[in-house]
Amino acid sequence: MKNWICLFFLSLLFINCGQKQETKTITTIELKELLAKEKIQLVDVRTSKEIAQGSIKSALFVNYFNADFSTKAANQLNKEKPVYLFCRTGNRSGKAAKILQKQGFDVVNVIGGYTKWKTEN
């Protein structure tokens, strides 16, 4: 009986671990190389005030703090292609990545965000 109980709890553990989806990441240097090679779905999730201080030319803008963030993003993006997200430092874009992953998007978070991009480019 004890073996069955242990087996039951172990199976629950593996089921729960399998459901967690890791977010892929990319550095700003890798992003620069990728942008030089091809057109990608790059999304800036910062506020308009932050964007006014500088941005990456080819990025779409969808403010993470807007109540309809997930709807606006989904309407502008193609699920057949990866979506690269960035914010100021990488925190918000990580949260945005989880939202879009739940909607079926293949998401890549840019580590360090625009702050890192600006110092390296």
Side-chain angles (χ1 to χ4, degrees):
M1 182 69 172
K2 283 185 181 181
N3 289 341
W4 286 105
I5 293 171
C6 288
L7 184 60
F8 174 74
F9 284 113
L10 281 174
S11 65
L12 286 177
L13 176 69
F14 287 118
I15 289 170
N16 287 335
C17 288
Q19 291 177 347
K20 186 173 182 173
Q21 186 176 6
E22 290 292 320
T23 302
K24 298 175 204 167
T25 59
I26 189 172
T27 66
T28 53
I29 292 170
E30 292 170 318
L31 177 64
K32 184 177 183 178
E33 293 169 2
L34 188 60
L35 286 169
K37 292 179 193 174
E38 61 188 276
K39 185 176 178 170
I40 62 170
Q41 293 188 106
L42 181 62
V43 180
D44 188 338
V45 298
R46 297 177 301 152
T47 65
S48 56
K49 188 175 181 179
E50 290 171 306
I51 292 166
Q53 297 172 357
S55 63
I56 299 173
K57 250 191 264 186
S58 61
L60 297 168
F61 303 107
V62 185
N63 185 349
Y64 172 77
F65 293 122
N66 283 349
D68 59 349
F69 164 77
S70 61
T71 305
K72 278 188 174 182
N75 288 339
Q76 295 183 56
L77 300 170
N78 180 351
K79 282 188 180 178
E80 303 299 316
K81 296 180 179 181
V83 177
Y84 296 83
L85 296 172
F86 73 97
C87 61
R88 186 172 48 89
T89 61
N91 187 34
R92 262 178 289 175
S93 55
K95 293 174 185 176
K98 290 178 181 170
I99 291 169
L100 293 177
Q101 282 174 328
K102 287 180 185 176
Q103 292 182 332
F105 288 94
D106 178 19
V107 182
V108 181
N109 187 21
V110 179
I111 301 209
Y114 187 74
T115 302
K116 187 81 170 168
W117 172 271
K118 202 162 85 174
T119 61
E120 291 177 344
N121 295 287

